[in-house]
Amino acid sequence: MNNNRVYNFSSGPAMLPESVLQQAQAELMNWQGTGISMLELHHRSKEFIELSEKITEDFRELLAIPKNYKILFVPGGGRGQFAMVPLNLLGNKNKADYVITGLWSRIAEAEAERYAKINIVEDAKASNYTSIREASEWLIDPEAAFLHYADNETVDGLEFDYIPDTKGVPLVSDMSSNILTRRFDVSRFAVFYACAQKNMGPAGITVAVVHEDFLDRALAITPSIFNYKKHAESGSMQNTPPCFVWYMLGLVLDWVKEQGGVPEMEKRTARRSQQVYQCIDQSQLYVNPVNPRFRSRNNIVFDLRDTNLNERFINEAAARGLVSIKGHPQRGGMRVGIYNAMPDAGVNALVEFMKDFEKTA
Ligand SMILES: Cc1ncc(COP(=O)(O)O)c(C=O)c1O
């Protein structure tokens, strides 16, 4: 790794592969012989349209997305989807089911209340966000327009290890913080989405994958720029897209493919998260309260039993080039984001630091 860089454990925007940053730097002044920077290229140029189509197909290939799903690159971030999902999926129904496993799914639910009557089928607050009940125990409303859940909760460090069976209710998932870290059966979903800034690129673009059957249900009040169908019909170019961010996302997808695709990312994610959880579990100082089954592989939260040591822990970590490890203010403690682009060496350095710190604590 470049000597000037640190291991950045931010929950997002997060580290990008160094080779991607280098390529973007090398191509900045003149993208592929056009004499134009990607920061300047017209979005409706033949070159950009071809690039956007390539990126779409790369994403389809990486996650084995069937042809009857549209892959949309949309504005508004993850939060934009909190509104777009109900606006586009309610159709002639006025109720939806929500699963709450942490901060983000709670915010998604609050947004949906603006448009529909919401039935909370599971609230992990009951376990202080340490566990998730089986979907078979949820009181799913068979008449709900959809059921929404967050596959991985970035703040609370809680991740599903199964795809809920909703008994026919269309399933929607926020995969913002674990997309491209494991394979899954796409055909189980009506919609899944992820903002880019954790595992796919810089902030500024969000991928929404929508089954074709769900393109005709938008409420009349849906702003055009929030309408899935209009994005599908325009090749995600209703407005001027963030071309540079989209291009960067494409470079990250190329990198994922070169590394061995999603199966390789899945192996790395499992191995590296196990390494950190093992360090936590073997220590007298660190503690992670989450039921091991639902521990996030991407956002590892932990507390120091002696909270007086928090500040020293953060400062000493920073002195070793390990930054952004403070927990989200809503949860406190520590949190490390270990996304695809984090080098193994960063995880090794983190674990070594944690062990060394404990000896001196
Ligand atoms: C799981 C999850 N959903 C949604 C969001 C919100 O994304 P954005 O900031 O792009 O709106 C985040 C952001 O961290 C997230 O972690």
Side-chain angles (χ1 to χ4, degrees), residues 45 49 91-92 126 137 155 187 199 219 227 232 244 258 262 318 354:
S45 63
I49 290 176
N92 57 11
E137 293 178 48
V155 168
S187 71
N199 265 312
L219 301 181
N227 187 305
F244 189 78
E258 279 159 29
V262 177
M354 288 172 71

Side-chain angles (χ1 to χ4, degrees), residues 11 76-80 82 104 150 152-154 174 176-177 193 195 197-198 206:
S11 58
R79 277 181 190 253
F82 297 169
W104 291 109
N152 183 61
E153 275 286 357
T154 323
D174 177 355
S176 289
S177 45
Y193 61 85
C195 52
Q197 66 268 21
K198 301 164 194 297
T206 297

Side-chain angles (χ1 to χ4, degrees), residues 244-258:
F244 189 78
V245 173
W246 202 348
Y247 148 82
M248 289 292 288
L249 188 149
L251 295 186
V252 173
L253 298 189
D254 287 341
W255 177 84
V256 173
K257 280 170 62 171
E258 279 159 29

Side-chain angles (χ1 to χ4, degrees), residues 285-286 302 304 306-326 333-334 350 352-361:
L285 178 62
Y286 312 113
F302 60 96
L304 272 60
D306 179 356
T307 53
N308 292 322
L309 294 172
N310 282 0
E311 210 179 309
R312 206 186 108 201
F313 182 80
I314 291 165
N315 291 340
E316 290 187 16
R320 288 214 201 173
L322 308 167
V323 306
S324 218
I325 61 174
K326 189 174 180 176
M334 305 297 154
L350 172 73
E352 196 179 302
F353 164 69
M354 288 172 71
K355 288 183 177 162
D356 288 350
F357 184 87
E358 182 167 6
K359 284 185 204 140
T360 65

